[in-house]
Amino acid sequence: MYDLDLSLAEAMAISDLFCIAGWLSIVFSKNFWWLDVGRFSVGCGIGVFSYVVPVYISEITPKNLRGGFATVNQLMICCGASLMYVVGTVLTWRVLAIIGLAPCLLQLLGLILIPESPRWLAKVGQHEEFEAALRRLRGKDADICEEAEEIKEFAENLRRLPQGSLFELFQKKYLHSVTVGVGLMVLQQFGGVNAIGFYASEIFVSAGFSSGNSGMLAMVAVQIPMTTLGVFLMDKAGRRPLLMVSAAGTCLGCFLVGMSFLSKDQEWVKELNMLLALAGILVYTGSFSLGMGGIPWVIMSEIFPINVKGVAGSLVTLVSWLGSWVVSYAFNFLMMWSSAGTFFMFACICGLTVLFVERLVPETKGRALEEIQASLNFF
């Protein structure tokens, strides 16, 4: 469980070491045990990165740019995954593991140069380092007095509170934040994203395509521009509208795929079924990339006060990756039960996401972290 008594830069460095160890284990593996150990180690590192990186970005950026900067993280993930999809068609898995080492080593070296989070420095009482880091981030000629005062005042209030524990998260004062955080992750994962991502090729073949390669390349072509569009819209349209549009789009995409499977046995509409499956997967992929892929992680980094951010982030990340495993593991069994029913079920969950966001998720665009957290949590 990630502990924010450890600095964010230190947490990222430890995560890099886990990833490096994991990739080396995979590269030099002689049997499946070493592959499993390597994948477990990489998984531990990526699990910490998935929360710590958005938190670090949200804590160092100005409030009017925070959403866009945090979503760039998702864009880079999307670009990297898409690139590996393409490269993986011509390279062996050992070569891919060697390539995976490069960004880990580069980031480990780059961490030497980055400033620590000003909010973490204020929280641990390093006031001189706090002001130096904030000035370095905002520029030497920027007026940081008002922002610095807000951060210090909020950090002082938090210092009077005990360090958050897992049980304390479920007290009334944190209930709204925990509900939003856990709820978004459950809905994100059980909307079927990893099932569709991991089994896209098989889905295309099941829908009647002779091969899944063309469909996979079409997915890659949709993901990157839609994620890029999300980056530009994040601090203009706001989190809530993008989330609702994104969730509605994933609902439509799953419904189209479900309809293609429902009428699969009708030979006279075979080409239409294939078109529905392709359109559904692309609508789902594009819609998810627009908002549901990155915005839940942006919101997670914004809504938890720093005294519970470590334990809350650990809980949210655990829920996310556990949900990913459950859906990925169960997907083949669900498809054997009913291909159409599986996608209609995903569509229902995506539809519920729209209602959940409309009812419970706060708009955080253009608001200071301290303002967001004070409005959600009672001190």
Side-chain angles (χ1 to χ4, degrees):
M1 183 171 285
Y2 173 58
D3 183 352
L4 276 172
D5 283 339
L6 192 69
S7 79
L8 295 170
E10 289 168 342
M12 287 188 279
I14 292 170
S15 300
D16 273 318
L17 293 176
F18 269 101
C19 290
I20 291 168
W23 287 124
L24 288 173
S25 177
I26 293 171
V27 169
F28 295 108
S29 61
K30 300 296 183 182
N31 54 55
F32 70 90
W33 286 109
W34 284 106
L35 284 174
D36 286 343
V37 169
R39 292 192 67 179
F40 178 79
S41 182
V42 172
C44 289
I46 295 299
V48 175
F49 272 135
S50 64
Y51 183 71
V52 172
V53 170
V55 168
Y56 178 77
I57 294 171
S58 71
E59 292 196 357
I60 67 170
T61 51
K63 61 185 179 182
N64 61 313
L65 301 174
R66 188 176 60 240
F69 270 84
T71 316
V72 167
N73 173 54
Q74 184 65 24
L75 175 61
M76 294 298 100
I77 293 172
C78 179
C79 290
S82 299
L83 179 62
M84 289 302 102
Y85 269 127
V86 176
V87 173
T89 62
V90 295
L91 298 179
T92 66
W93 57 269
R94 287 190 195 271
V95 175
L96 287 177
I98 293 172
I99 293 173
L101 281 167
C104 302
L105 292 169
L106 182 63
Q107 179 166 315
L108 190 60
L109 294 173
L111 288 173
I112 300 171
L113 304 176
I114 69 170
E116 189 49 81
S117 161
R119 287 175 168 84
W120 181 83
L121 292 169
K123 183 249 182 183
V124 297
Q126 299 183 24
H127 297 297
E128 291 184 8
E129 292 85 350
F130 154 71
E131 292 194 8
L134 189 61
R135 187 167 297 282
R136 180 180 171 187
L137 288 164
R138 300 294 181 262
K140 62 180 182 179
D141 297 324
D143 183 3
I144 63 169
C145 295
E146 183 177 350
E147 184 179 7
E149 193 59 38
E150 288 178 0
I151 294 172
K152 284 193 288 188
E153 182 180 351
F154 197 74
E156 186 61 36
N157 291 334
L158 289 174
R159 235 190 326 266
R160 300 191 190 104
L161 299 174
Q163 186 68 30
S165 65
L166 184 61
F167 295 108
E168 188 176 349
L169 274 182
F170 297 98
Q171 294 181 9
K172 183 179 179 181
K173 60 184 175 182
Y174 300 126
L175 193 57
H176 190 178
S177 294
V178 172
T179 301
V180 170
V182 172
L184 281 176
M185 289 305 169
V186 168
L187 293 167
Q188 181 196 59
Q189 293 302 329
F190 283 85
V193 57
N194 282 314
I196 292 172
F198 294 159
Y199 295 100
S201 182
E202 289 84 350
I203 293 169
F204 285 123
V205 173
S206 297
F209 286 83
S210 58
S211 167
N213 289 339
S214 57
M216 293 292 292
L217 292 175
M219 284 178 62
V220 170
V222 166
Q223 277 182 324
I224 295 176
M226 290 302 290
T227 306
T228 304
L229 179 62
V231 171
F232 287 107
L233 291 178
M234 181 70 67
D235 289 310
K236 296 183 183 297
R239 280 57 151 172
R240 278 166 48 88
L242 275 183
L243 270 177
M244 287 191 281
V245 169
S246 175
T250 57
C251 178
L252 174 61
C254 286
F255 180 79
L256 292 176
V257 178
M259 288 298 297
S260 76
F261 279 112
L262 190 64
S263 56
K264 182 180 176 183
D265 294 332
Q266 305 296 323
E267 287 295 326
W268 63 277
V269 290
K270 182 178 179 180
E271 291 187 2
L272 177 60
N273 289 342
M274 294 169 61
L275 183 61
L276 278 175
L278 178 61
I281 293 294
L282 295 184
V283 168
Y284 182 96
T285 302
S287 299
F288 186 87
S289 300
L290 180 66
M292 281 301 295
I295 294 178
W297 292 103
V298 174
I299 291 176
M300 296 313 97
S301 68
E302 296 174 327
I303 60 176
F304 295 116
I306 202 166
N307 67 308
V308 297
K309 191 167 279 189
V311 67
S314 299
L315 174 64
V316 167
T317 304
L318 175 64
V319 168
S320 176
W321 291 108
L322 182 60
S324 172
W325 177 80
V326 168
V327 173
S328 301
Y329 181 80
F331 183 68
N332 280 330
F333 300 104
L334 290 170
M335 290 290 282
M336 287 188 287
W337 161 67
S338 171
S339 298
T342 298
F343 282 94
F344 287 142
M345 180 178 66
F346 288 156
C348 289
I349 294 171
C350 294
L352 285 174
T353 304
V354 179
L355 296 177
F356 180 85
V357 173
E358 196 277 329
R359 294 289 182 181
L360 292 174
V361 177
E363 181 55 74
T364 59
K365 180 190 76 169
R367 300 169 68 190
L369 292 180
E370 291 71 28
E371 179 188 351
I372 297 166
Q373 293 156 15
S375 68
L376 287 173
N377 307 291
F378 304 99
F379 297 106

